[in-house]
């Protein structure tokens, strides 16, 4: 086809659109909905699953992890050292760890996002600072070497907080109470090695001595805190890295934990693993890979529905233009020319559909990215359109246009001029085409509605799950005393001062806990008990929670046996409270109160024993999806209360306690950064962010599917009434009742709907099996889900039939007989 003919056909199509703008808008919106939803989910999937680090040759990077098949964690410092000594496939290994830092600005501490990086990090990544230099080789020496600790600023932090001043190089900052010297600024676009996070400042790995003083993590064999990555040598591959790791696995385990205290007990099921590191370390990928795959499946089905709806609209329009196409064919237009004309019209409508879809996709991806953050920890994901996303959107638009326009274009090109010129339109063409479209629409609607019901049931089950905490008027505040340079005894005293300051308000009760619930945190210890017959019960994965007296009534955890801590217990060494699960594990078929729990495997050191004074109900510290861990509660002391702990506050009124908590924290520790304050309800909401995202999207997709199905069915029925007006008039003139007219109208639609329901139920059953890991409290094959789905769709379809049925029965037989 020449350019002149193409331009002529485009002009003709534009005139056709102008004559029927409502139809054109319907096609554009239908395509934009399906394409936009796919672009939005793909944008989020690309940012989480596919996007590579902005470094040279990211495909050459590999990531070392410690995994048990279900969970993948970081490496310890000793494991990193051993791996660096024995591996032979990389040019070097870097170590990285995210960190919450306190920046002293004019006497006020400000929380900033930081990271620790080994001195060779920039060399392994192949990066150069935007300005300044990278870490010097001796930056990992304790104290940071002769020049002290060095620091590199994040590009955005440098721009937003320091105005992009290039004179910042050489300036000193106070981080966690220690001076650091700014030596450079990170390259623009590099936000760190952990997907979804952004660092404000990077410090050398040796700063661990300050950050975790007086017990640094660097040499601790049980502290799994380092993300370890390497760059493959030119002749090496990921497979050779795996082979090399298998050969040195046992050596690393032995050197990383020579005392066999951690890797042979709690971490015994874990093995060292290596994988591609092109995207850095992505905890979001672990959490959202399967949900995003499910969403991709659902939006593809939605796109199929939109394409089917568009095809139906186009077929209906072509039916009204049958005489026009027949005239063109009679005047010599080839079938190929007619095909190209119709298909060109679809492509021209797809262009504004693509523009609208890009806006829908960007809006959807932005909203979804905002739903992924935790309390006080937003997620930073670049979901703005780039060439990859725009290329995906363009390709998807072409595919959607092909899917929506191929059959109508073929039908238009095969029209018979003689028969088409003899009547006003091809009466049965659209209806016959709809015989296949409507069942497909119903089937897709069944899948989407059933998925939405499954995910909605999961969300409701989790939201109503007994957590072991009472949410009403319960607040938490994360306290960070790491920058205050306090010794262990002073940390405990400061915590007590904080509780006393809050007690003075009178309308609230407060307590200390070491690890907040439902916050992706981790706590574990290895404990033992001795039964009445001398049998030893060992639990290497006991959750250890340090709490102050009054904790249980504050958070709403019920006591089942014995008693809770009171202030008199602070003067008694070695008392503890067990959760119900821990009591059953340590003392099966026996009472636990007044018995002893040991942290010494030989049970010979009295200082490592504690007497059980009470049993509390199970509390879900890890997840609402998981059973509550066996938990041991202990009182705070100078050797167990961390510098970052959590304050639990129960208010007696509906007043917001945030300002009171800030005042008490400032009074107890003037140099500490302001606490992060949140309610337990918001903590649950953040914990269920994945489920909330899934139910929100699946409900929207199901709603859109029902609307599109109803529109398609409504259009076919109305068109059927219009095309058979003369027949209906004759039948009514001969005495046919309204019921018979309605029955003949809906009989064919009912067959289509039943076919769609049957096919959709089978497809939904197969699809929902892939969602097994995402549902909770209900089986993917639950019969009730499919019964409710069918009831919903049948109810909606019956409502759709009301208007066409009333229109059919309101036809005047005399006027109907005059219809040409």
């Amino acid at each position: 086809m020449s350019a002149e003919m193409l331009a002529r056909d485009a002009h003709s199509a534009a005139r056709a659109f102008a004559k029927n703008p409502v139809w054109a808008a319907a096609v554009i919106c239908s395509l934009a909905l399906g394409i936009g939803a796919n672009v939005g989910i793909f944008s989020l999937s690309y940012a989480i699953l596919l996007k590579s680090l902005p470094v040279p040759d990211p495909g050459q990077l590999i990531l070392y992890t410690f995994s048990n098949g279900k969970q993948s964690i970081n490496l310890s410092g000793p494991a990193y050292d051993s791996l660096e000594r024995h591996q032979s496939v990389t040019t070097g290994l870097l170590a990285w760890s995210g960190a919450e830092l306190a920046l002293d600005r004019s006497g006020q501490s400000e929380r900033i996002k930081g990271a620790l990086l080994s001195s060779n990090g920039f060399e392994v990544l192949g990066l150069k600072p935007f300005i300044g230099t990278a870490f010097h080789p001796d930056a990992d020496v304790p104290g940071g070497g002769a020049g002290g600790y060095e620091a590199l600023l994040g590009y955005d932090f440098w721009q937003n907080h320091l105005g992009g001043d290039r004179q910042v190089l050489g300036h000193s900052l106070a981080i966690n109470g220690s001076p650091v010297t700014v030596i450079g600024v990170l390259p623009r676009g590099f936000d760190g090695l952990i997907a979804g996070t952004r660092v404000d400042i990077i410090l050398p790995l040796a700063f661990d001595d300050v950050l975790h003083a007086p017990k640094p993590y660097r040499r601790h064999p049980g502290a799994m805190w380092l993300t370890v990555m390497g760059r493959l040598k030119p002749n090496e591959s990921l497979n050779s890295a795996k082979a090399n790791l298998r050969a040195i696995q046992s050596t690393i385990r032995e050197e990383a934990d020579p005392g066999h205290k951690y890797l042979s007990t709690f971490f015994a099921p874990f093995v060292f693993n290596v994988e591609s590191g092109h995207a850095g370390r992505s905890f979001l990928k672990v959490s959202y890979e399967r949900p995003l795959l499910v969403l991709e499946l659902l939006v593809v089905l939605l796109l199929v529905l939109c394409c089917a709806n568009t095809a139906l609209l186009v077929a209906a329009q072509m039916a009204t233009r049958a005489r026009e196409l027949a005239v063109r064919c009679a005047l010599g237009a080839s079938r190929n020319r007619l095909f190209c004309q119709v298909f060109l019209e679809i492509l021209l409508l797809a262009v504004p559909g693509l523009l609208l879809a890009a806006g829908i996709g960007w809006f959807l991806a932005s909203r979804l990215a905002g739903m992924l953050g935790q309390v006080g920890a937003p997620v930073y994901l670049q979901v703005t359109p780039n060439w990859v996303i725009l290329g995906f959107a363009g390709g998807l638009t072409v595919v959607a246009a092909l899917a929506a326009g191929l059959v109508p274009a073929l039908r238009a090109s095969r029209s018979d001029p003689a028969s088409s010129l003899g009547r006003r339109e091809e009466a049965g063409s659209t209806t016959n085409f709809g015989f296949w479209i409507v069942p497909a629409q119903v089937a897709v609607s069944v899948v989407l509605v059933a998925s939405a019901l499954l995910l909605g049931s999961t969300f409701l089950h989790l939201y109503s799950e007994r957590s072991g905490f009472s949410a009403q008027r319960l607040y938490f505040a994360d306290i960070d005393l790491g920058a205050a340079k306090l010794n262990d005894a002073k940390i405990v005293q400061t915590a007590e001062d904080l509780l006393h300051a809050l007690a003075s308000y009178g309308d609230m009760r407060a307590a200390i806990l070491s690890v907040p619930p439902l916050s992706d945190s981790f706590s574990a210890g290895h404990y033992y008990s001795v039964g009445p017959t001398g049998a030893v019960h060992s639990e290497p994965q006991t959750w250890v929670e340090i709490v102050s007296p009054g904790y249980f009534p504050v958070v709403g955890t019920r006591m089942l046996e014995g008693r809770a801590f009171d202030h008199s217990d602070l003067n008694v060494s070695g008392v503890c409270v067990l959760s119900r699960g821990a009591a059953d594990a340590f003392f099966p078929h026996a009472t636990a109160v007044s018995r002893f729990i040991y942290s010494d495997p030989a049970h010979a050191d009295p200082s490592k024993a504690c007497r059980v004074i009470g049993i509390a109900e199970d509390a879900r510290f890890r997840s609402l999806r998981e059973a509550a861990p066996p938990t041991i509660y202990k009182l705070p002391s100078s050797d167990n209360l961390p510098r970052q702990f959590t304050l639990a506050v129960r208010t007696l009124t509906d007043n917001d306690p945030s300002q009171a908590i800030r005042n008490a924290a400032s009074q107890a520790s003037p140099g500490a950064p302001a606490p992060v304050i949140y309610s337990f309800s918001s903590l649950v909401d953040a914990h269920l962010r994945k489920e909330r995202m899934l139910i929100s999207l699946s409900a929207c997709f199901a709603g859109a599917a029902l609307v599109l199905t109803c529109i398609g069915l409504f259009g076919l029925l109305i068109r059927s009434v219009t095309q058979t007006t003369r027949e209906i008039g004759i039948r009514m003139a001969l005495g046919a009742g309204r019921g018979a007219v309605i029955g003949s109208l809906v009989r064919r639609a009912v067959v289509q709907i039943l076919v769609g329901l049957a096919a959709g139920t089978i497809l939904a059953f197969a699809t929902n099996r892939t969602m097994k890991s995402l549902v909770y409290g209900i089986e993917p094959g639950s019969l009730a889900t499919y019964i409710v789905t069918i009831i919903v769709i049948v109810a909606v379809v019956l409502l759709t039939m009301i208007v066409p049925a009333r229109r059919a029965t309101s036809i005047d037989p005399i006027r109907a007989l005059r219809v040409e």
Side-chain angles (χ1 to χ4, degrees):
M1 182 183 295
S2 66
E4 181 181 353
M5 294 174 63
L6 188 64
R8 192 182 303 123
D9 286 347
H11 180 68
S12 175
R15 286 192 304 169
F17 300 158
K19 290 180 181 179
N20 199 345
V22 175
W23 172 84
V27 171
I28 291 171
C29 291
S30 185
L31 286 174
L33 175 62
I35 297 170
N38 275 270
V39 170
I41 300 301
F42 175 78
S43 299
L44 190 66
S45 299
Y46 174 77
I48 293 178
L49 306 178
L50 304 175
K51 187 177 180 181
S52 296
L53 290 171
V55 302
D57 296 323
Q60 291 298 107
L61 295 176
I62 57 175
L63 171 70
Y64 288 94
T65 60
F66 204 37
S67 173
N68 64 356
K70 297 181 180 179
Q71 185 181 14
S72 177
I73 61 177
N74 290 327
L75 272 60
S76 66
Y80 163 63
D81 294 334
S82 179
L83 182 62
E84 190 173 35
R85 283 193 299 269
H86 296 289
Q87 66 84 27
S88 59
V89 296
T90 74
T91 58
L93 296 183
L94 65 81
W96 168 287
S97 177
E100 290 281 346
L101 303 175
L103 171 65
D104 187 356
R105 304 189 70 178
S106 303
Q108 295 293 323
S109 288
E110 174 185 348
R111 288 178 182 266
I112 61 172
K113 296 293 183 180
L116 307 186
L117 178 64
S118 55
S119 61
N120 66 336
F122 275 74
E123 180 183 353
V124 172
L125 294 173
L127 284 178
K128 293 183 178 179
F130 181 75
I131 60 172
T133 62
F135 291 135
H136 294 98
D138 64 346
D140 287 340
V141 175
Y149 294 114
E150 301 171 339
L152 288 103
L153 305 179
Y155 184 88
D156 290 337
F157 181 81
W158 175 58
Q159 289 286 335
N160 298 331
H161 288 73
L162 301 172
D165 183 9
R166 291 176 175 265
Q167 303 302 316
V168 72
L169 299 181
H171 284 205
S172 180
L173 301 176
I175 304 292
N176 282 50
S178 295
V180 300
T181 302
V182 178
I183 62 169
V185 174
L186 298 176
R188 186 174 186 175
F190 180 76
D191 294 324
L193 300 183
I194 310 300
T197 64
R198 176 181 297 168
V199 295
D200 298 323
I201 188 169
I202 295 181
L203 300 167
L205 203 60
F207 199 76
D208 168 57
D209 292 338
V210 175
L211 186 63
H212 301 121
K215 300 174 183 178
Y217 291 172
R218 183 67 178 85
R219 305 299 174 192
H220 195 299
M224 304 299 178
W225 67 302
L226 293 178
T227 296
V228 177
M229 298 180 64
R231 181 174 290 276
L232 291 170
K233 293 177 180 178
N235 297 325
E236 301 291 352
S237 65
L238 181 59
N239 287 334
S240 62
K242 290 180 178 179
N244 175 243
L245 184 60
R246 285 194 296 269
I248 61 176
Q249 181 97 210
S250 58
T251 302
I252 297 173
R253 295 187 77 96
E254 182 64 30
E255 292 184 358
D257 184 20
H260 301 166
K261 186 176 180 181
Y262 301 98
L263 302 191
S264 300
T265 55
F266 182 80
F267 293 113
F270 288 74
V271 295
F272 294 100
N273 187 33
V274 62
E275 59 192 63
S276 173
H278 74 95
R281 184 73 156 116
S282 180
F283 296 100
L284 290 174
K285 180 178 179 179
V286 175
S287 299
Y288 290 96
E289 184 172 22
R290 182 165 290 276
L292 286 172
L293 292 177
V294 169
L295 289 177
E296 287 284 4
L297 174 61
L298 296 183
V299 293
V300 166
L301 291 176
L302 182 64
L303 179 62
V304 170
L305 194 60
C306 290
C307 290
N309 199 64
T310 302
L312 203 56
L313 288 170
V314 174
Q317 179 69 3
M318 290 302 104
T320 64
R321 295 171 57 190
R323 291 174 63 87
E324 172 201 334
L325 296 174
V327 169
R328 294 189 64 182
C329 189
L331 293 177
S334 67
R335 295 184 182 276
N336 288 338
R337 181 70 188 281
L338 293 179
F339 176 87
C340 293
Q341 169 68 34
V342 175
F343 198 74
L344 177 63
E345 293 179 7
I346 303 300
L347 286 177
L348 290 177
L349 290 172
V351 171
L354 171 62
L355 297 177
L356 182 58
I360 293 174
W362 177 79
F363 174 78
L364 178 61
S366 300
R367 293 297 299 269
L368 292 178
M371 296 173 67
L372 303 185
Q374 302 181 47
V375 173
V379 168
Y380 298 96
L381 290 174
Q382 292 293 332
V383 294
T384 53
N386 56 31
W387 289 113
V388 174
I389 296 173
L390 292 177
F392 173 82
L396 196 64
T397 301
V398 173
V399 171
L402 279 170
L406 185 60
V407 174
L410 287 172
R411 294 176 68 88
S413 67
R414 294 172 181 172
S415 61
D416 182 8
S419 61
S420 297
L421 288 172
R423 61 189 178 210
R424 188 168 57 90
E425 60 178 276
E426 297 178 8
S429 63
T430 307
T431 306
N432 292 333
F433 184 42
F435 184 83
W436 302 107
I437 293 295
V438 170
Q441 290 177 323
V442 172
V444 172
S445 296
V446 170
V447 176
L448 294 175
V449 172
S451 300
L453 288 174
L454 273 178
L455 296 171
S457 298
T458 293
F459 180 80
L460 292 176
H461 275 98
L462 289 172
Y463 202 83
S464 59
E465 194 74 25
R466 174 64 187 174
S467 65
F469 301 90
S470 177
Q472 188 176 17
R473 301 195 187 105
L474 178 60
Y475 296 82
F476 293 98
D478 293 334
I479 307 296
D480 185 358
L481 301 180
K485 299 289 186 180
L486 304 177
N487 59 35
D488 292 342
K490 188 61 175 175
I491 292 289
V492 176
Q493 183 60 52
T494 302
E496 292 178 358
D497 293 342
L498 181 59
L499 295 178
H500 287 314
L502 284 171
S504 65
Y505 284 90
D507 62 344
M508 60 185 69
R509 302 290 181 267
I512 297 295
L513 66 158
S514 55
V515 181
L518 308 180
S519 59
D520 296 331
S521 299
F522 185 78
S523 176
H526 195 170
Y527 286 85
Y528 310 82
S529 67
V530 181
T533 61
V536 175
H537 297 279
S538 171
E539 182 52 65
Q541 300 189 25
T542 305
W543 186 281
V544 182
E545 194 71 31
I546 309 302
V547 302
S548 63
Y551 164 80
F552 295 101
V554 167
V555 300
T557 302
R558 297 172 298 183
M559 294 300 300
L560 305 179
E561 297 180 36
R563 63 177 179 84
F565 296 123
D566 58 37
H567 285 85
S568 64
D569 292 319
L570 293 172
N571 301 319
V572 179
S573 62
V575 293
C576 62
V577 172
L578 297 182
S579 67
R580 177 78 275 170
D584 292 342
F586 286 118
F587 303 100
H589 313 299
T591 181
V593 177
S594 298
R595 306 296 295 274
F596 286 88
I597 297 292
Y598 303 89
S599 58
D600 171 29
H603 319 132
D605 187 351
S607 66
K608 295 184 177 181
C610 65
R611 181 172 57 87
V612 179
I613 63 171
I615 299 174
E617 69 170 315
D618 289 329
R620 302 197 179 198
F621 282 95
R622 285 198 185 115
S623 170
L624 291 175
R625 281 181 172 271
E626 300 178 17
T631 306
I632 180 171
Y633 299 92
K634 307 178 83 172
L635 289 168
S637 65
S638 59
D639 62 351
N640 67 13
L641 185 64
R643 281 165 165 70
Q644 291 85 30
F645 57 84
T646 299
L647 181 71
V649 177
R650 170 84 59 184
T651 62
L652 305 181
T653 65
D654 292 330
N655 295 332
D656 187 342
S658 298
Q659 191 56 50
I661 294 173
R662 293 190 188 96
N663 293 340
S666 177
Q667 178 182 339
S669 182
V676 177
I677 303 171
Y678 46 92
S679 67
F680 183 74
S681 297
S682 65
L683 187 63
V684 172
D685 289 342
H687 179 68
L688 297 178
R689 58 194 181 279
K690 178 172 64 178
E691 289 76 13
R692 188 180 299 277
M693 179 184 73
L694 286 170
I695 179 58
S696 299
L697 287 176
S698 62
C700 289
F701 296 159
L706 288 175
V707 171
L708 291 172
T709 300
C710 290
I711 290 174
L713 181 60
F714 180 85
L716 278 176
L717 290 176
I718 287 292
R719 191 159 192 78
S720 177
V721 171
T722 303
Q723 293 171 346
T724 58
T725 298
R726 185 181 179 86
E727 175 189 340
I728 293 174
I730 293 173
R731 294 185 62 189
M732 295 184 68
L734 295 176
R738 293 177 179 270
V741 172
I742 294 175
S744 64
L745 174 67
V746 303
R747 189 176 297 114
R748 188 167 184 171
V750 169
V751 172
Q752 293 172 305
I753 293 165
L754 291 177
V755 170
L757 288 174
T761 301
I762 296 172
L763 183 60
F765 184 80
T767 301
N768 292 341
R769 300 301 296 180
T770 66
M771 301 169 57
K772 187 172 184 179
S773 64
L774 300 179
V775 299
Y776 179 86
I778 185 172
E779 285 295 322
S782 169
L783 182 61
T785 300
Y786 299 107
I787 292 176
V788 173
T789 298
I790 292 173
I791 290 174
V792 169
I793 292 178
V794 169
V796 171
V797 165
L798 289 177
L799 290 174
T800 304
M801 292 181 176
I802 291 177
V803 173
R806 293 187 61 182
R807 182 170 177 177
T809 57
S810 63
I811 291 177
D812 184 350
I814 301 300
R815 293 186 178 182
L817 292 173
R818 295 174 182 168
V819 174
E820 183 182 5

